[in-house]
């Protein structure tokens, strides 16, 4: 339950400015926190921080527990003596508006290799053993998985040598000996990532900024989780998924969304008293103050698609043990600082599950304004225990959305004119700001605005097109974008609407 009015900004760290081609946990992240504090924001929402897999999507991670090494700050490695300034004398010319993922990974991995060579020549830091022991339930499996993935040329784990794909004891011991140095390399990267992240989070909390993390309901098939704990997933004897995840046809797609993630073996998880989920929530509660659960709907019932289908059309709804699971999680951790992403096909049962645990739901203003139901399109009908957004990472920017509405002469545009007194020919930037203001005015206790909307950016700055692969997740803002004028404008609106 969120009881006080507050507001914040949605921005994934990859979108921060950096001379190394991708946003990281270095100085610009600290300056962004300063900007949040100066503009009276109290929340910084990020996307999942896990290492990315297919399509560079943070929602298709290589681990449910590990951190993305590409977010490690090179400058922080220099500050701690693991790299020298000479190591970065010849930085490639990167695109400062888009992350060029493959080029960035190639460059940063070379620097990480150099840093690791320095690291292993010294005594282990005092906190390294504690980090290892605190995370033993996932860390070594992940590092081993990554070393094996390199060894087998990046192929998915079910295409490795059968003995190690199935984790035969002798084979596992043999590969751990062969790949010991590469395993230690990936342990090193995780230690550095979490060290840098915790420093950044402490700085944010000191400035009264809380971090909203993001936990995808599913894990990627090609992940250390699926390889190390296959019994927790619905896999066949050949280790292929029996069924995969997605959503039925909806606003985003006439054929639904075929995500392809393996679906959990909920009975096996129940038999373990949901230990894996307790570990997962325990891990994210350490790195975030509040957690947004992506596709919360799937904890009440999930859309199950037979493996091999080309679209999500031929699926079925299957009940999930959400109430039992969250009862166990709450018993372990107490009141749960969770936001339920309750978009899409939402039933009475989903709302009952959300309300039982007093999780705030989400309202997307773009979607609301497109609805013909006044109780849905009007932000003034919103329950206070709600998080309102103009849009999320899956939406167009507000200016891009307005452009589309004007092109289509949509009912949403007419609604803005009739109900919110916005002239249809109002300049786009002014109209977009008015939509932000509508969100701020709403009764919802929490309001989150993507940075793209505060910057008044068009569709080119959109983060993701759902159901597509390639070209997503790459937007970056520029060093001079967070001006004093913008800071004051956001600050005044925040104070005026008592957030």
């Amino acid at each position: 339950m969120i009881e006080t009015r507050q507001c914040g900004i949605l921005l994934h760290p990859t979108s921060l400015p950096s001379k190394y081609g991708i946003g990281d946990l270095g100085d610009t992240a600290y300056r962004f926190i300063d900007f949040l504090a100066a503009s009276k924001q109290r929340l910084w929402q990020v996307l999942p921080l896990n290492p990315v897999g297919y399509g560079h999507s943070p929602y298709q991670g290589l681990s449910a527990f590990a951190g993305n090494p590409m977010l490690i700050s090179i400058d922080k490695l220099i500050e701690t003596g693991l790299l020298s300034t000479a190591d970065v004398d010849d930085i490639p010319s990167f695109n400062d508006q888009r992350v060029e993922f493959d080029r960035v990974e190639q460059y940063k991995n070379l620097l990480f290799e150099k840093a690791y060579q320095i690291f292993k020549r010294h005594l282990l830091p005092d906190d390294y053993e504690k980090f290892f022991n605190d995370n033993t339930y996932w860390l070594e499996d992940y590092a081993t998985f990554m070393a094996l993935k390199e060894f087998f040329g990046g192929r998915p784990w079910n295409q490795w040598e059968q003995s190690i794909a199935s984790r035969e004891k002798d084979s596992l011991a043999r590969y751990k000996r062969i790949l010991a140095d590469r395993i230690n390399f990936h342990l090193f990267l995780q230690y550095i990532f979490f060290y840098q992240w915790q420093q950044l989070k402490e700085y944010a909390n000191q400035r009264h900024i809380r971090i909203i993390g993001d936990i995808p309901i599913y894990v990627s098939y090609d992940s250390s989780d699926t390889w190390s704990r296959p019994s927790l997933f619905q896999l066949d004897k050949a280790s292929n998924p029996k069924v995969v995840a997605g959503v039925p046809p909806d606003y985003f797609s006439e054929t639904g969304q075929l995500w392809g993630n393996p679906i959990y073996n909920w009975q096996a998880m129940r038999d373990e008293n949901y230990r894996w989920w307790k570990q997962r929530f325990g891990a994210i509660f350490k790195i975030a103050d509040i957690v947004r659960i992506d596709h919360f709907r799937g904890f009440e019932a999930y859309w199950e698609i037979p493996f091999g289908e080309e679209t999500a059309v031929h699926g079925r709804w299957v009940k999930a043990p959400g109430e039992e699971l969250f009862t166990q999680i709450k018993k372990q951790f107490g009141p749960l600082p969770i936001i339920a992403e309750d978009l899409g096909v939402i039933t009475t049962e989903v709302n009952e599950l959300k309300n039982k645990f007093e999780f705030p739901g989400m309202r997307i203003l773009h979607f609301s304004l497109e609805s013909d139901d006044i109780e849905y399109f009007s932000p003034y009908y919103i329950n206070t225990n709600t998080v309102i957004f103009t849009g999320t990472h899956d939406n167009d920017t507000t200016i891009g959305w307005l452009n589309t509405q004007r092109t289509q002469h949509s009912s949403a545009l007419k609604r803005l004119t009739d109900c919110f007194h916005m002239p249809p020919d109002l300049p786009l930037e002014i109209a977009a700001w008015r939509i932000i203001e509508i969100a701020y005015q709403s009764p919802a206790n929490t309001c989150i605005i993507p940075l793209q909307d505060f910057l008044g950016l068009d569709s080119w700055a959109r983060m993701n097109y759902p159901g597509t692969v390639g070209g997503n997740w790459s937007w970056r803002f520029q060093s001079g974008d967070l001006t004093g004028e913008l800071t004051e404008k956001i600050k005044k609106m925040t104070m005026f609407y008592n957030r």
Side-chain angles (χ1 to χ4, degrees):
M1 172 74 77
I2 299 174
E3 297 179 345
T4 57
R5 286 174 66 80
Q6 57 187 343
C7 54
I9 292 178
L10 168 59
L11 179 83
H12 198 45
T14 57
S15 296
L16 291 161
S18 166
K19 60 188 174 185
Y20 301 107
I22 190 171
D24 59 36
L25 308 181
D27 185 64
T28 55
Y30 287 80
R31 300 295 74 77
F32 179 68
I33 290 169
D34 291 342
F35 165 75
L36 290 171
S39 55
K40 297 296 183 182
Q41 305 299 289
R42 289 293 172 261
L43 300 166
W44 177 10
Q45 181 175 335
V46 300
L47 305 183
L49 297 170
N50 312 110
V52 298
Y54 183 64
H56 306 291
S57 168
Y59 294 92
Q60 289 285 353
L62 296 169
S63 166
F65 298 91
N68 185 356
M70 290 302 115
L71 294 175
I72 290 173
S73 165
I74 300 300
D75 289 336
K76 292 288 182 185
L77 292 178
I78 293 172
E79 288 177 15
T80 55
L82 291 175
L83 290 174
S84 70
T85 53
D87 290 323
V88 296
D89 275 348
D90 191 20
I91 303 173
S93 178
F94 290 112
N95 187 327
D96 63 359
Q97 295 184 321
R98 296 282 178 192
V99 180
E100 301 169 275
F101 288 104
D102 292 337
R103 290 186 67 216
V104 166
E105 287 173 10
Q106 184 178 18
Y107 175 69
K108 293 192 79 167
N109 278 330
L110 288 173
L111 294 177
F112 293 155
E113 296 283 359
K114 290 182 178 180
Y116 172 59
Q117 295 306 316
I118 298 294
F119 180 82
K120 69 181 185 178
R121 288 203 295 266
H122 293 78
L123 291 174
L124 291 176
D126 293 340
D127 59 347
Y128 184 86
E129 185 176 355
K130 183 178 187 305
F131 169 75
F132 185 89
N133 291 335
D134 287 349
N135 296 282
T136 186
Y137 58 92
W138 66 267
L139 182 57
E140 190 171 8
D141 277 331
Y142 166 77
T144 304
F145 171 84
M146 292 301 293
L148 285 164
K149 194 168 180 63
E150 290 175 0
F151 184 82
F152 288 105
R155 297 198 300 274
W157 63 267
N158 65 332
Q159 296 178 23
W160 299 348
E161 178 187 313
Q162 178 56 40
S163 64
I164 191 62
S166 58
R167 294 175 60 90
E168 292 178 13
K169 185 177 179 180
D170 290 346
S171 183
L172 194 58
R174 178 167 61 88
Y175 275 106
K176 283 185 176 183
R177 287 195 303 271
I178 294 170
L179 301 176
D181 190 60
R182 298 309 298 166
I183 292 170
N184 285 330
F185 171 69
H186 289 287
L187 293 175
F188 158 74
L189 291 181
Q190 290 305 300
Y191 166 73
I192 295 295
F193 170 86
F194 283 101
Y195 177 79
Q196 290 191 0
W197 176 258
Q198 289 298 342
Q199 283 193 319
L200 183 67
K201 182 179 180 294
E202 286 174 16
Y203 184 81
N205 292 163
Q206 288 166 4
R207 304 298 306 274
H208 307 292
I209 306 295
R210 292 192 294 167
I211 305 291
I212 301 178
D214 196 322
I215 188 168
I217 182 173
Y218 295 116
V219 302
S220 173
Y221 172 76
D222 189 24
S223 67
S224 60
D225 311 283
T226 315
W227 172 68
S228 63
R229 298 298 307 277
S231 64
L232 297 182
F233 303 87
Q234 295 190 49
L235 307 181
D236 63 21
K237 291 180 180 178
S239 297
N240 292 313
K242 296 177 183 177
V243 287
V244 295
V247 289
D250 61 7
Y251 174 89
F252 290 116
S253 172
E254 293 180 358
T255 57
Q257 296 177 48
L258 179 62
W259 299 334
N261 308 75
I263 288 177
Y264 299 114
N265 180 343
W266 282 111
Q267 184 57 53
M269 290 186 157
R270 178 183 286 115
D271 291 344
E272 291 189 351
N273 202 26
Y274 301 104
R275 180 177 61 184
W276 186 85
W277 279 104
K278 291 174 182 177
Q279 291 170 339
R280 192 177 186 192
F281 275 104
I284 198 166
F285 288 152
K286 289 180 183 177
I287 65 171
D289 303 293
I290 303 167
V291 176
R292 170 191 177 272
I293 297 181
D294 191 59
H295 195 57
F296 177 81
R297 194 254 179 276
F299 286 102
E300 193 283 321
Y302 52 88
W303 189 248
E304 176 185 277
I305 306 157
F307 181 64
E309 288 287 326
E310 295 184 357
T311 73
V313 171
H314 301 297
R316 62 171 187 151
W317 289 111
V318 180
K319 286 291 184 182
E323 182 176 347
E324 186 178 324
L325 169 66
F326 288 114
T327 298
Q328 290 294 320
I329 301 297
K330 186 176 181 180
K331 190 179 295 183
Q332 174 137 345
F333 297 103
L336 300 173
I338 283 173
I339 296 168
E341 186 268 283
D342 55 345
L343 307 176
V345 182
I346 300 303
T347 63
T348 300
E349 291 84 357
V350 176
N351 284 325
E352 287 174 351
L353 177 63
K354 178 187 68 175
N355 294 334
K356 177 179 176 64
F357 295 94
E358 299 185 301
F359 298 154
M362 289 174 51
R363 182 68 66 89
I364 309 301
L365 200 46
H366 295 179
F367 294 161
S368 295
L369 291 167
E370 292 169 1
S371 170
D372 292 326
D373 181 353
I374 188 170
E375 292 192 16
Y376 190 74
F377 85 68
S378 172
Y380 306 114
Y381 280 93
I382 291 176
N383 185 290
T384 56
N385 192 35
T386 301
V387 184
I388 189 170
F389 298 76
T390 46
T392 71
H393 60 275
D394 281 335
N395 293 88
D396 202 346
T397 64
T398 293
I399 281 187
W401 177 81
L402 276 168
N403 257 325
T404 299
Q405 304 310 310
R406 290 184 176 185
T407 300
Q408 297 175 348
H409 304 288
S410 71
S411 58
L413 197 65
K414 187 175 188 303
R415 198 163 289 124
L416 283 167
T417 302
D418 294 345
C419 301
F420 299 100
H421 312 296
M422 282 178 54
D425 57 350
L426 196 66
L428 279 171
E429 287 199 17
I430 297 175
W433 194 268
R434 174 61 184 131
I435 289 173
I436 293 172
E437 193 173 26
I438 290 170
Y440 264 65
Q441 285 176 304
S442 78
N445 277 338
T446 302
C447 177
I448 305 288
I449 306 296
L451 184 63
Q452 293 96 314
D453 284 355
F454 277 134
L455 296 178
L457 299 179
D458 206 338
S459 298
W460 72 270
R462 182 172 181 163
M463 200 64 170
N464 181 48
Y465 288 83
T468 68
V469 178
N472 294 319
W473 316 109
S474 62
W475 172 75
R476 302 173 66 201
F477 77 90
Q478 310 298 292
S479 297
D481 285 345
L482 306 183
T483 63
E485 181 182 1
L486 178 63
T487 302
E488 284 301 308
K489 190 174 183 181
I490 297 172
K491 175 183 174 181
K492 287 179 180 177
M493 185 173 63
T494 301
M495 296 178 71
F496 187 80
Y497 292 111
N498 189 30
R499 291 196 179 276

